[in-house]
Amino acid sequence: MNKIITRFPPSPTGYLHVGGARTALFNWLYARHTKGRFILRIEDTDVQRSTQASVDAIFEALKWLDIDWDEGPYFQTQRFPIYQEYIQKLLDSGHAYYCSCTPEEVDAMRKKAMETGGKPKYDGTCREKKLSKGENTVVRFKAPLMGTTVLEDVIKGNIVFQNSELDDFVIQRSDGVPTYNFVVVIDDIAMGVNTVIRGDDHVNNTPRQIQLYKALGAQLPVFGHVPMVLGNDRTRLSKRHGATSVTAYRDMGFLPDAFINYLVRLGWSHGDQEFFTREDLIEKFNLENIGRSAGVFDLEKLLALNADHIKAAPPAKIVPHLLPFLKEKGYEAEAGPYLEGVIKTLNARSKTLKEMADGAEFYFQENLIYDENAVKKFLTPAVLEPLSQLIAELEAIETFSEKALEAAFAKVLESAGLKFSKIAQPVRVALTGKTVSPGIFEIIEVLGKEQVLSRLKNALGFING
Ligand code: GLU
């Protein structure tokens, strides 16, 4: 087969939502898997509802997901001359005609058709009139009256539509603006798109689109209609179920790779594998394993997967995603070995980046904030002696290796006749302000000698009042 060419054509009438992101991903992954091309097209012909803010929000979400495109972004509003050319082609070949019926007349036809048990249709009044363009004329497609139009869907199988139930739909309105079903087909033909994966809310548009391809003598693309994403009550995912905007998940602290893993699994499978890196997905994604039944969005599963990705990712990969959360808390953290060290101590205990930023706070606090109960319980006069000794031992260590640290602690414990836990908790509170934290030695290694000694000394001072 020729190079696979897929596309993602969002209508900029709102932010990028979960379902749209999944469609984008499927097309992007399939293009990457097959070393094909992926096109981004902004379907902004509905000028009433399209906004620049939505365009920006869609770009922002795609950027976060790290979905890149090989062509575009195209904007349909900049392509009217191309559409005009194709309208003319259809008029010239007798596949389209001008119609002067008023909207009221068309409404009446629809009503009448419904009264006699039929589908609401235009009745073909102007079909053979050979009218010329007039002030209020629209252009209609001359659809086949009999037979069937078959959608051979790679996901749903064949779906047969009776042509008698479809009508001569408008392809250009009286104000010259071409209609949705028309421009989608023209763009897909003009851009060489040969694989169309989209939500199954578009199934009913497809027979009309197929008829246009045929009238233009163009080759049909492969169509695949993906079932909608559902909420936990099995109705279509909407705001009632929680956040539906992709960037809301960024702001909650999800890693983009975890989010795409989850979205892809919500409609595609590879045996019973749940965890996929981005590279894994590119390697394994195919159309055959897109499921026929709708995926149910489950935040708990997404959280669990996020935790797995946070744990598995190299710390350097987490850095750019964690930084905004630290900034938000007012810490001027920087990318580099220190932050990577911090992440290493927290990546096995954080479900989200937000949690990780909470857990990382003590590393960045200039003046450590002690938890009141922790202080009461652990920073007591009884630990003055061993803490002072520990400070002396640590001061004598040249470089903080795990071995040297263990030896220093062992010495203090032995001479004080204490168990490790008796000193570990006070040290923990001295270094982190809290009773729960990553392992003491891990923390000490990350903080480094200077910070550790200064924090231990501050704790001594605190106990001494
Ligand atoms: N612009 C359409 C939408 O946002 C997509 C059309 C298509 O995929 O053919 O739903």
Side-chain angles (χ1 to χ4, degrees), residues 434-446:
K434 301 180 292 187
T435 53
V436 181
S437 77
I440 293 288
F441 294 133
E442 290 174 71
I443 293 174
I444 290 178
E445 263 182 75
V446 173

Side-chain angles (χ1 to χ4, degrees), residues 395-416:
E395 262 171 346
I397 300 179
E398 188 85 24
T399 37
F400 269 17
S401 69
E402 199 176 323
K403 220 167 149 194
L405 289 171
E406 272 174 21
F409 269 79
K411 217 161 158 193
V412 175
L413 294 175
E414 200 184 278
S415 75

Side-chain angles (χ1 to χ4, degrees), residues 7 9-11 43 180 184 198 202:
R7 55 20 163 220
S11 305
E43 304 209 315
Y180 166 73
V184 166
R198 60 186 172 197
H202 286 288

